[in-house]
Structures are given as C-alpha cells and as structure tokens.
Amino acid sequence: MTQEPEFVVAVDWGGTWNRVNVVDSNGTVHWENRVANSLSRTTEELLANGERVMREALDWCGDRPVAGIGLAMAGPIDPETGIMDRPPNLMLLDGVSLKALWEPVFGLPVWVGNDADLAALGEYYFGAGRANPEGSDAASREEAVLPRTLVYLTISTGVGGGVVYRGQVFLGASGMAAEVGHMAIESGPDGPLCQCGSRGCLESLASGTAIARMAREKLAEADGTASILARGRPEDVTSGHVFQAATQSDPLALGIIDRLVAVLGVGLTNVLHLYNPDVLVLGGGVSEGIQDLDLMPRIHSLILERAMSGRHREFRFELSRLEGSGGMLGAAMLVWLNTSLA
Ligand SMILES: [Zn+2]
C-alpha cells in the first residue's frame, strides 16, 4: 500500500534569507530553518548552502512521505522551466533553474513560483481567503468558503502583487502578470522616476522607499525643519519613522500619509477594475504602518467612491493574516495543488 504524502518542503528564498519549512496540507509548519544568503559569495556556494538546509528538512521527515518541494523565489521566474530571469536581489541565481537542478538531486517533484504570486496563493488558502464574511475563520482548508478572485499586494521596499483566480495563480503568458507596482498613477514629467524606468508608478509613490524619499524631499524644504523627522539625519529617515511621526501628529509626516492614502485609493481602484476581486489583501512592511494608523477605512472609502459599479464595490478589504509566511505557505500549496492534480 502506498502512503499518502504527509509533508511538503517549502522554501521562501528572499534577498536576505533562504527559509526552509516542512509544512502539511493544512498549512501547519512542523520544522523550520534558514540560511543567510550573505554566507555565499558564488552561485555554487549559494546552491550548496540551500541544498544543505533542504537536506536537513528531508532528514527530519525521515520515512514519512514527502509530496515534493515548493519554492517561492524573489524575482522573475519562468513557471514552466523554473529559470530565474535577472532577479535583482538574487543575481547569483540568474539563469538557474532549481527545478531542473534539484528534481534529480532529491528525487522529488520541484515546483517554483514568484514570491508575490505565491504569497497571494498562501493568503487565498491559509490567510484572508479563509475568513468567512461573518468574520470567524474556518477551522480547516476543507471547510473554508474560498474566494473566487483574490488579489494580494505586498507594499514594502517595492510594490508587488499576485492574483489567484479560483484557486490557481493567474500567471499571464510568461509568469509576469499582476505587476501592480508598475501601474502608472502620475505618469507626467513631474511623476517620480521608478526603478523600472517609467515615471509615477504605484511603487514610486507608495513603497517604503518612496515614503522615505518623499520625507527627505520635504525635509529639504524651508518648513521641513519643524518636523520631528528633522531631528535625525535626512538620509537615515525610513518609512517606519514617517509612520511613527504621523502617530505623533507631525504635519510633515501626516502630509505624506495623506498622499499615500490618496495614491492607494487610485491604484487599488485600478486593481479592482482590472481583476474584480472578492477579496483584496494588503501585506508587506508598509501595511503594518497602515494598520498602526488605522488607514484601511480611509483607503476603503476612497476606493468605494471611485469604483465604477456596485459589483466592483462588493469586496472584502483585508490586511494580510500571514505575517511574512504567505510566500512559504503558497509554495507549499503549489505542491499540494499539483500533487492532487497528478
Ligand atoms: Zn515602475
């Protein structure tokens, strides 16, 4: 008799850490470890360090059957071949396919995806997607009434996103769909330059990097010296400082927060019109500031004002429930979905 798989090995490979977990089909984490990417100077070292911690995970599983390996990777990735395409924070893996490399090494199926896409998948099955409209969460994935379309935005150093449609990540033709951070909001010559080369993208106006940049710009103006933020060096100001100053009613910080709310009102209405989600989720470091300042109701009402129809207004607007584990749980779910389809 063949045993049903009990676990998957799920990996969240970000710019700083490579985190490895052993996860069951209900999203419960049974084992975890991580390795710092800074320990590796070459692609070979990076891969060897990654392989070592994966081996530890599989050793922990022992004789208990493992369905496969799922990897959430920071950067563009071909979902079919698993080849990384110039990931800005993991350049040592440019052109590498962990799927091709590791399937023969571990003798297990390997599935890969972009971390924002998989964070959306994790949120769909294990986070905000699982909550029922009355507010209480379903006890298990099987009991949950899942959304039809969930859109997830991560707002941190940059702005990324993922769309899950009826339980599957919406990938587009080559895995590059849902680049919500690069929708134009202020595309005129005065719009801030985005790292993608365009002007006025959502990322250049709402990311943590953008919030810090706007604070520095305002501090350089004549009335900036009265701000709490002027007490430190302008180059050290972070988005966290801006949120902190806003809780103390600092006018300069509040001005930046007002702009953030307005920009998100426009950008998220665009998202609503494009994807018609029934659940819209915000995650990432900036969303913690949004929570601390209780900005969700303000952003929500701006979206409702701008939405073009009543049907577009019928969505749940939520903060992430998964506190940075979304990509990991999405990577696990990618394996379970592909296993059950096999
Ligand atoms: Zn851009």
Side-chain angles (χ1 to χ4, degrees):
M1 195 182 88
T2 53
Q3 279 180 286
E4 286 288 312
E6 280 187 61
F7 301 123
V8 302
V9 174
V11 180
D12 184 1
W13 205 328
T16 309
W17 294 101
N18 175 0
R19 296 161 59 210
V20 180
N21 284 13
V22 174
V23 185
D24 67 23
S25 64
N26 210 30
T28 303
V29 174
H30 293 265
W31 180 93
E32 60 188 319
N33 200 356
R34 63 182 188 175
V35 59
N37 294 333
S38 58
L39 296 177
S40 308
R41 296 272 173 269
T42 65
T43 302
E44 289 69 27
E45 279 178 14
L46 190 65
L47 291 171
N49 283 328
E51 194 179 315
R52 181 173 46 76
V53 69
M54 305 259 296
R55 191 70 74 188
E56 284 174 29
L58 289 165
D59 285 348
W60 183 87
C61 296
D63 293 335
R64 297 162 79 178
V66 175
I69 295 165
L71 298 123
M73 306 299 296
I77 187 162
D78 185 304
E80 306 281 328
T81 63
I83 295 173
M84 302 288 294
D85 181 15
R86 284 168 290 156
N89 297 316
L90 279 174
M91 272 310 280
L92 289 174
L93 295 181
D94 181 32
V96 172
S97 167
L98 295 173
K99 183 178 176 66
L101 193 69
W102 279 348
E103 278 189 341
V105 168
F106 293 109
L108 286 167
V110 175
W111 303 96
V112 292
N114 168 266
D115 55 359
D117 283 340
L118 293 181
L121 195 68
E123 206 64 57
Y124 183 95
Y125 284 103
F126 302 115
R130 188 188 279 199
N132 71 34
E134 284 77 46
S136 62
D137 289 8
S140 71
R141 184 158 60 80
E142 287 71 21
E143 289 174 25
V145 180
L146 294 169
R148 277 160 289 184
T149 302
L150 179 144
V151 181
Y152 170 78
L153 269 80
T154 172
I155 312 176
S156 55
T157 316
V159 176
V163 175
V164 179
Y165 174 63
R166 294 190 185 273
Q168 301 275 343
V169 176
F170 176 77
L171 290 165
S174 55
M176 300 293 282
E179 283 290 355
V180 290
H182 300 284
M183 75 169 83
I185 305 287
E186 294 177 10
S187 62
D190 295 335
L193 197 60
C194 184
Q195 55 139 348
C196 74
S198 292
R199 285 191 180 277
C201 297
L202 183 63
E203 177 165 305
S204 73
L205 292 159
S207 64
T209 315
I211 292 166
R213 188 203 65 238
M214 287 189 272
R216 284 193 292 274
E217 286 168 3
K218 283 189 171 287
L219 284 168
E221 293 170 6
D223 55 355
T225 51
S227 168
I228 299 168
L229 296 167
R231 292 175 193 168
R233 296 190 308 170
E235 60 268 35
D236 295 335
V237 170
T238 65
S239 59
H241 295 140
V242 176
F243 282 111
Q244 181 64 37
T247 62
Q248 297 169 58
S249 304
D250 181 69
L252 187 150
L254 287 175
I256 293 169
I257 298 302
D258 285 347
R259 189 165 182 217
L260 174 70
V261 168
V263 160
L264 286 174
V266 174
L268 294 174
T269 311
N270 292 343
V271 167
L272 208 67
H273 289 158
L274 286 171
Y275 297 111
N276 183 207
D278 42 353
V279 182
L280 178 58
V281 189
L282 302 186
V286 169
S287 73
E288 291 167 25
I290 287 172
Q291 181 167 31
D292 292 344
L293 291 175
D294 196 23
L295 302 176
M296 289 292 274
R298 284 177 62 192
I299 300 167
H300 196 179
S301 56
L302 281 179
I303 299 171
L304 296 180
E305 270 174 37
R306 295 184 69 92
M308 63 181 284
S309 81
R311 294 231 174 162
H312 286 102
R313 293 186 194 102
E314 290 168 12
F315 69 100
R316 275 199 289 124
F317 189 39
E318 300 257 356
L319 289 160
S320 167
R321 309 284 187 94
L322 300 176
E323 293 174 4
S325 299
M328 176 78 71
L329 293 175
M333 197 60 213
L334 187 64
V335 177
W336 291 119
L337 287 172
N338 281 293
T339 307
S340 60
L341 289 177

